[in-house]
């Protein structure tokens, strides 16, 4: 004999007067949506979903004695739920009682949650190490979001609700760049998913692992021009290395495993899209989440012997070798510094590789290229051998092909990508360094260039001191901003930089210590700094400070994310250089012999905006107040914004 389910009473109105006569209201009893009506002196409770398209009846109205659905105007009796005309598509009703002036609704006791496809996939995702998700919950991803909520309640996942999906993708990209592990960005179908596209490309071209998760409209309406219908598999075909729609009969745990595995091993973007009806589908009884156990191979690949032999011969012969580090070498900083010390060779970096050796190291030579220092370019020009680790040889970096080159990279396609090199060494960097160091124990012929490094730094610092004297009535110089940062920025901070003149000045004037640096390298996307800082903070937590440096043009693209900092108590320090202009573009227009046009900006008071969001904010207009204000910034415990009015011509 079937047993009846227990009825549970839920208070839905603290005071019955909250719902006047002749009105309706949506309330919730446990997880059940209820349309509460007050009609002819009686309170009644009906299922909140219209039986036709699920319209929310609690948002409707009582007209001519009938409850009218707000979506398509169908009528039901506000007490019985019966439609006029003898139709059989009535609405389920629930018992109501009044106690102490409050209204209660009785519904059947909820059945225990049954594992869904989304539960299996979220658990698998977490097992593979994807525990940080940035995104926005919406109507076409609610089932998957609910599964993430359960995992977050278990303390195994952190979800950060952002204000724009583009910021979610940038945050996930920055997390991947900093840690080498994927975070996820999450969106609804249609515009939410397409908003993530730029950040996904940023991760792809900078070789950062990223997992993109998007909702999708129900499969049954695909192809009909349904609301927010976009073919997301086709849309993301160019950016995602692994790109699939999850289906009801997919091997769900395996699909998620492969998505994360591709992101990690390929250092690329994976994308899964979830049709609405699949997300809440009950998992098969035997379905289990998967783990990466025995699914990942070691990446410590040794280079071919012949390449090692040729490289070692060149290194032994060189008198003035110079080591160049790119972003791909970031996991091997200590070993690379030891290798440089073995050769007494200067180390310079690409802009993306800034900070891979401290500018205070006796062999540190700063940044090459357009955002770099004359120290780095001088040593490259004086060298007789370039030993390049994890760099991509982009035009921006400016590594000359006119010098003999040894290039070491884990990606064989990156080797000799734009021109031939003397020795292309395919191997994992730390394993290659071990072999190099062993082979070179017998000695090298290189000169000790340590003294020269100090001499070149002395020349450059004298030049910077001269530039620091340049003052203006139009604002503070960028040189002064970064001079103050050199003195006050925490030595172990993670620093996120935007695109524009602020980035060029940052690369040129900021002297790195033990900081890590994140930027939109190959894509060069304006607006990167603030959302990237959010991603960085979720990676390092309270262990390291996080600093974002942005121009006014870039910051305005994701300015609302300051509210995200406040919501999640992210103690990020944001320094914005406000010159009321897209200064880099004005400069390029002049260089191209165009008129300067449409580069002026109308900005808010960023400090006041930050305070209105609940963060600390301060504005500096004069150089004499800069250092004290920056000391206040770094002393703050919570999110803080320092706005500096700068002169666009003093960069």
């Amino acid at each position: 004999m079937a047993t009846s389910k227990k009825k549970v009473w839920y208070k839905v109105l603290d005071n019955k007067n909250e719902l006047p006569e002749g009105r309706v209201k949506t309330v919730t009893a446990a997880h059940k949506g209820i349309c509460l009506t007050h009609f002819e002196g009686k309170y009644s409770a009906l299922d909140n979903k219209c039986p036709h398209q699920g319209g929310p009846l609690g948002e409707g109205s009582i007209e001519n004695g009938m409850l009218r659905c707000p979506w398509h105007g169908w009528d039901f009796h506000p007490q019985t739920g019966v439609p006029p005309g003898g139709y059989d598509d009535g609405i389920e009703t629930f018992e109501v009682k009044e106690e102490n002036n409050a209204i209660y609704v009785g519904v059947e006791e909820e059945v225990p949650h049954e594992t869904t496809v989304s539960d299996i996939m979220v658990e698998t995702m977490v097992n593979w190490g994807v525990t940080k998700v940035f995104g926005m919950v919406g109507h076409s991803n609610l089932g998957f979001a609910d599964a993430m909520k359960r995992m977050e309640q278990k303390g195994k996942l952190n979800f950060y609700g952002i204000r724009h999906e583009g910021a979610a993708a940038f945050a996930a990209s920055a997390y991947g760049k900093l840690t080498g592990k994927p975070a996820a960005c999450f969106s609804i179908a249609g515009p939410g998913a397409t908003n993530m596209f730029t950040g996904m490309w940023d991760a792809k071209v900078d070789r950062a692992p990223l997992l993109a998760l998007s909702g999708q409209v129900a499969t049954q309406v695909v192809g009909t021009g349904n609301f927010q219908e976009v073919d997301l598999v086709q849309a993301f075909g160019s950016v995602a290395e692994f790109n699939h729609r999850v289906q009801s009969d997919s091997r769900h745990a395996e699909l998620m495993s492969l998505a994360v595995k591709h992101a990690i091993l390929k250092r690329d973007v994976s994308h899964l899209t979830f049709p609405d009806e699949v997300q809440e589908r009950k998992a098969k009884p035997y379905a289990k989440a998967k783990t990466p156990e025995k699914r990942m191979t070691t990446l410590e690949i040794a280079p071919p012997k012949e390449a090692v032999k040729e490289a070692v011969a060149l290194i032994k012969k060189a008198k003035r070798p110079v080591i160049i580090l790119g972003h791909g070498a970031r996991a091997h900083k200590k070993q690379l510094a030891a290798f440089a010390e073995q050769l007494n060779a200067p180390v310079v970096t690409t802009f993306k590789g800034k900070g891979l050796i401290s500018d205070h190291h006796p062999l540190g030579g700063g940044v090459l290229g357009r955002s770099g220092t004359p120290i780095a370019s001088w040593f490259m020009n004086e060298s007789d051998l370039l030993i390049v680790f994890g760099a991509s040889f982009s035009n921006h970096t400016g590594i000359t092909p006119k010098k003999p080159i040894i290039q070491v990279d884990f990606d064989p396609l990156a080797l000799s990508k734009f021109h031939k090199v003397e020795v292309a060494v395919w191997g994992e960097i730390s394993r290659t360094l071990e072999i190099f160091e062993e082979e070179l124990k017998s000695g090298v012929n290189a000169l000790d260039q340590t003294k020269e490094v100090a001499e070149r730094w002395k020349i450059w610092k004298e030049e910077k001191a001269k530039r620091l004297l340049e003052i203006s009535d139009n604002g503070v110089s960028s040189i002064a901003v970064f001079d103050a940062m050199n003195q006050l920025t925490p030595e172990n901070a993670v620093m996120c930089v935007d695109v524009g003149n602020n980035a060029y000045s940052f690369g040129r004037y900021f002297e790195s210590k033990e900081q890590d640096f994140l930027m939109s390298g190959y894509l060069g996307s304006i607006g990167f700094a603030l959302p990237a800082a959010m991603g960085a903070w979720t990676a390092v937590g309270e262990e390291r400070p996080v600093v974002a440096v942005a121009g006014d043009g870039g910051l305005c693209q994701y300015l609302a994310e300051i509210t995200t900092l406040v919501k999640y108590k992210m103690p990020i320090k944001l320094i914005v250089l406000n010159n009321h202009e897209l200064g880099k573009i004005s400069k390029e227009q002049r260089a191209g012999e165009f008129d300067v046009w449409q580069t002026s900006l109308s900005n808010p008071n960023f400090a006041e905006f930050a305070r209105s969001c609940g963060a600390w904010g301060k504005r500096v207009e004069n150089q004499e107040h800069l250092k004290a204000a920056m000391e206040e910034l770094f002393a703050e415990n919570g999110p803080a914004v320092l706005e500096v009015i700068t002169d666009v011509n003093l960069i």
Side-chain angles (χ1 to χ4, degrees):
M1 186 176 81
T3 57
S4 60
K5 293 181 181 178
K6 179 182 176 182
K7 182 183 293 182
V8 181
W9 291 93
Y10 294 93
K11 185 192 290 186
V12 295
L13 288 183
D14 291 321
N15 188 320
K16 66 179 183 180
N17 294 326
E18 294 176 37
L19 186 62
E21 167 69 34
R23 300 290 297 278
V24 302
K25 182 177 183 178
T26 297
V27 296
T28 303
H31 290 94
K32 183 68 180 175
I34 300 291
C35 171
L36 191 68
T37 68
H38 186 185
F39 179 65
E40 294 182 345
K42 180 181 179 183
Y43 292 89
S44 304
L46 299 81
D47 191 327
N48 197 44
K49 291 183 179 179
C50 176
H52 304 125
Q53 295 181 4
L57 296 175
E59 296 177 19
S61 58
I62 296 177
E63 301 178 27
N64 299 322
M66 301 299 288
L67 170 63
R68 180 154 292 173
C69 172
W71 281 11
H72 64 282
W74 196 253
D75 287 339
F76 306 90
H77 193 279
Q79 294 173 343
T80 65
V82 175
Y87 293 102
D88 60 359
D89 53 353
I91 308 167
E92 182 182 5
T93 59
F94 304 91
E95 195 173 345
V96 174
K97 69 178 182 180
E98 179 182 335
E99 288 184 1
N100 299 322
N101 215 38
I103 300 296
Y104 293 78
V105 173
V107 298
E108 289 183 348
E109 184 178 27
E110 289 187 324
V111 298
H113 172 73
E114 294 183 56
T115 301
T116 65
V117 165
S118 293
D119 288 319
I120 294 293
M121 298 192 79
V122 170
E123 185 178 352
T124 299
M125 177 181 80
V126 168
N127 288 345
W128 275 82
V130 182
T131 61
K132 312 296 181 186
V133 184
F134 309 89
M136 189 174 289
V137 176
H139 69 277
S140 56
N141 63 24
L142 297 179
F144 198 88
D146 200 48
M148 288 195 290
K149 177 209 70 176
R150 285 185 283 276
M151 193 59 68
E152 187 173 60
Q153 288 172 339
K154 294 177 181 178
K156 296 182 178 181
L157 179 144
N158 299 110
F159 184 88
Y160 301 95
I162 44 69
R163 306 306 295 268
H164 189 283
E165 296 88 352
F170 275 136
S173 176
Y175 183 97
K177 292 176 186 182
L178 182 62
T179 67
K181 302 173 183 178
C185 50
F186 178 66
S187 77
I188 63 167
T194 57
N195 279 346
M196 298 193 299
F197 198 64
T198 302
M200 292 167 69
W201 267 107
D202 177 73
K204 184 178 185 69
V205 297
D206 280 354
R207 304 302 299 270
L210 180 146
L211 178 63
L213 306 168
S214 63
Q216 182 55 290
V217 300
T219 302
Q220 67 181 17
V221 298
V222 168
T224 64
N226 191 67
F227 177 67
Q228 294 191 333
E229 179 193 348
V230 174
D231 186 339
L232 294 175
V233 173
Q234 182 177 352
F236 291 151
S238 61
V239 69
E241 169 69 21
F242 188 87
N243 180 32
H244 292 282
R245 182 179 66 188
V246 180
Q247 301 182 138
S248 295
D249 56 352
S250 294
R251 295 173 60 192
H252 299 108
E254 184 65 12
L255 198 58
M256 181 60 81
S257 294
L258 288 174
V260 182
K261 184 175 182 178
H262 274 75
I264 295 171
L265 294 183
K266 295 278 191 177
R267 298 202 309 185
D268 213 321
V269 174
S270 289
H271 169 244
L272 294 174
T273 187
F274 297 81
D276 208 11
E277 81 282 359
V278 175
Q279 297 173 44
E280 298 179 71
R281 186 179 179 88
K282 299 297 182 286
K284 295 176 181 177
Y286 55 82
K288 301 291 182 185
K290 294 196 173 184
T291 75
E293 185 180 4
K294 304 296 184 182
R295 297 293 301 273
M296 296 279 283
T297 182
T298 178
L299 299 177
E300 295 179 5
I301 301 168
K305 292 180 180 179
E306 188 61 31
V308 170
K309 182 180 177 181
E310 293 178 20
V312 168
L314 276 180
I315 295 170
K316 284 184 174 181
K317 186 173 66 173
K319 294 287 187 182
R320 298 180 62 84
V322 169
I323 296 169
I324 300 177
L325 306 182
H327 179 79
R330 69 181 303 108
H332 316 284
K333 290 193 290 187
K334 290 184 179 179
Q335 283 178 281
L336 286 161
F339 180 62
E341 290 159 7
Q342 184 179 10
L343 302 182
N344 283 315
V347 181
V348 301
T349 76
T350 65
F351 190 22
K352 281 170 61 181
K354 184 175 175 68
L356 294 187
I357 189 165
S358 169
D359 287 332
H360 297 268
H361 188 285
L363 293 169
V367 172
L368 271 175
R370 302 176 191 176
S371 305
T373 67
I375 305 168
S377 57
W378 191 88
F379 277 108
M380 183 176 68
N381 291 336
E382 294 294 316
S383 70
D384 60 1
L385 176 67
L386 302 178
I387 311 172
V388 183
F389 294 91
S392 54
F393 289 79
S394 72
N395 290 337
H396 190 98
T397 297
I399 302 174
T400 178
K402 296 179 180 178
K403 300 284 184 175
I405 293 172
I406 297 170
Q407 183 186 2
V408 181
D409 207 286
F410 90 106
D411 182 358
L413 289 175
L415 296 167
S416 305
K417 184 175 182 180
F418 300 115
H419 54 77
K420 68 178 182 179
V421 300
E422 275 61 34
V423 184
V425 183
W426 177 38
E428 192 265 339
I429 289 175
S430 62
R431 185 73 184 95
T432 302
L433 284 171
E434 290 173 2
I435 296 170
F436 279 1
E437 289 166 0
E438 184 65 30
E439 293 289 330
L440 294 170
K441 278 184 177 179
S442 59
V444 294
N445 294 314
L447 301 172
D448 186 346
Q449 300 176 71
T450 308
K451 185 178 179 181
E452 287 184 66
V453 173
E455 290 172 352
R456 302 313 300 187
W457 269 108
K458 181 175 182 291
I459 294 169
W460 175 231
K461 287 187 176 184
E462 288 173 352
E463 172 61 24
K464 289 203 294 183
K466 292 176 185 176
R467 298 184 187 185
L468 193 58
L469 297 175
E470 298 175 354
I471 59 174
S472 166
D473 293 334
N474 296 323
V476 181
S477 69
S478 295
I479 304 97
V481 175
F482 291 106
D483 182 69
M485 289 182 65
N486 284 334
Q487 299 173 55
L488 299 172
T489 304
E491 293 189 7
N492 66 334
V494 180
M495 306 193 70
C496 303
V497 62
D498 220 301
V499 170
N501 279 342
N502 63 92
Y504 285 103
S505 297
F506 184 98
R508 187 175 297 117
Y509 299 120
F510 186 81
E511 297 174 10
S512 66
K513 293 178 181 175
E514 298 302 317
Q515 296 98 349
D516 282 305
F517 300 87
L518 300 176
M519 63 193 67
S520 179
Y522 262 147
L523 193 64
S525 180
I526 193 170
F528 176 80
L530 178 55
M534 292 158 47
W537 179 81
T538 65
V540 301
E542 303 303 321
E543 295 180 7
R544 300 176 65 183
V546 178
V547 180
V549 179
D552 46 354
L555 179 58
C556 278
Q557 296 222 340
Y558 293 105
L559 186 59
E561 298 304 335
I562 292 176
T563 63
T564 307
L565 307 187
V566 173
K567 177 179 179 180
Y568 294 100
K569 298 179 174 60
M570 298 180 179
I572 290 166
K573 306 300 179 277
L574 170 63
I575 299 171
V576 53
L577 281 64
N578 181 2
N579 55 30
H580 294 92
E581 188 172 337
L582 296 173
K584 178 175 177 290
I585 306 306
S586 298
K587 184 178 175 183
E588 290 178 352
Q589 287 174 332
R590 292 188 189 96
E593 301 182 356
F594 299 102
D595 291 332
V596 173
W597 185 69
Q598 292 291 1
T599 58
S600 62
L601 299 173
S602 178
N603 290 327
N605 183 308
F606 292 109
E608 288 182 359
F609 182 88
R611 292 195 294 270
S612 74
C613 295
W616 179 91
K618 190 159 193 173
R619 182 183 238 193
V620 172
E621 299 182 3
N622 300 301
Q623 187 166 326
E624 57 265 31
H625 300 141
L626 177 61
K627 188 175 178 181
M630 198 171 290
E631 288 174 342
E632 287 186 65
L633 173 82
F634 288 121
E636 279 295 312
N637 292 323
V641 178
L642 177 62
E643 176 185 9
V644 185
I645 303 301
T646 57
D647 187 329
V648 71
N649 295 310
L650 295 180
I651 59 171

